Amino acid sequence: MVLIGFDPGLAHTGWGVIEDAGGRFFLKEYGVIETASSRPTAERLMHIGDSVRRLFERFEPDTACMERLFFARNRTSAIPVAEACGVISAEAARCGVPVGELTPIQIKQAVTGDGRADKEAVQIMVRRLLNLKENPHPDHAADALAAAIAGSRFSLFRKKVMNRV
């Protein structure tokens, strides 16, 4: 199963594509979609949408997962992140890719076993789970890979539960 994870943001949207082969994870590719703050918000969102669509077309993921915005201290920064989430969700729907949202705590729990793990612990576990030589950088891409891994684990859990019902 091919999964794509996203760490949404207006300035930087991290993305990471993995393959889950029976619980073993393999890295396909990762990166960051960047937009210039000097551009109008609508153009920035369009750039994110176009980039996400190209990723869906290129990798043909079975599913997508992104970090859910559930709390923000600063409303000013929460709104652009929410807009980026909306663009990603819309492109996923356009491309027929189901998208799930997990809280940061759920992602950390799925990747490290500890919902309160710090960024470094998450990066170390992403490195280990994907058999990388070093921690993935930048942070936005590492968070996106963590979302993909967590999405895979939650997807497997949902399948097991549904098969028992």
Side-chain angles (χ1 to χ4, degrees):
M1 173 169 43
V2 176
L3 299 102
I4 186 166
F6 292 101
D7 178 32
L10 185 59
H12 303 95
T13 292
W15 60 273
V17 181
I18 64 168
E19 183 172 352
D20 179 350
R24 291 193 59 204
F25 299 111
F26 299 93
L27 174 66
K28 288 196 165 278
E29 196 170 327
Y30 65 90
V32 175
I33 302 164
E34 297 182 351
T35 67
S37 61
S38 61
R39 306 302 309 158
T41 299
E43 286 182 21
R44 297 171 78 184
L45 292 169
M46 186 173 67
H47 174 70
I48 293 168
D50 290 345
S51 299
V52 167
R53 185 177 326 112
R54 284 192 298 273
L55 290 170
F56 286 141
E57 291 168 353
R58 180 174 164 205
F59 293 104
E60 299 179 349
D62 298 294
T63 190
C65 186
M66 70 176 148
E67 188 172 302
R68 177 185 300 154
L69 177 66
F70 75 101
F71 177 81
R73 287 183 216 148
N74 183 345
R75 268 193 176 153
T76 308
S77 64
I79 292 170
V81 172
E83 290 174 326
C85 288
V87 167
I88 293 166
S89 294
E91 289 304 327
R94 183 186 325 276
C95 295
V97 177
V99 61
E101 294 182 46
L102 297 173
T103 67
I105 291 172
Q106 290 173 314
I107 293 171
K108 291 174 184 180
Q109 177 71 36
V111 174
T112 69
D114 178 2
R116 298 179 190 269
D118 63 16
K119 277 196 174 289
E120 185 177 355
V122 172
Q123 287 180 349
I124 289 168
M125 284 306 298
V126 167
R127 180 187 79 217
R128 288 181 181 164
L129 290 167
L130 294 175
N131 198 28
L132 304 175
K133 293 182 183 190
E134 58 186 36
N135 291 351
H137 293 287
D139 291 350
H140 300 290
D143 290 347
L145 288 169
I149 292 167
S152 173
R153 291 188 167 173
F154 272 87
S155 176
L156 178 63
F157 175 75
R158 279 191 304 270
K159 285 179 187 175
K160 285 182 178 181
V161 169
M162 294 306 289
N163 287 336
R164 290 187 179 175
V165 174

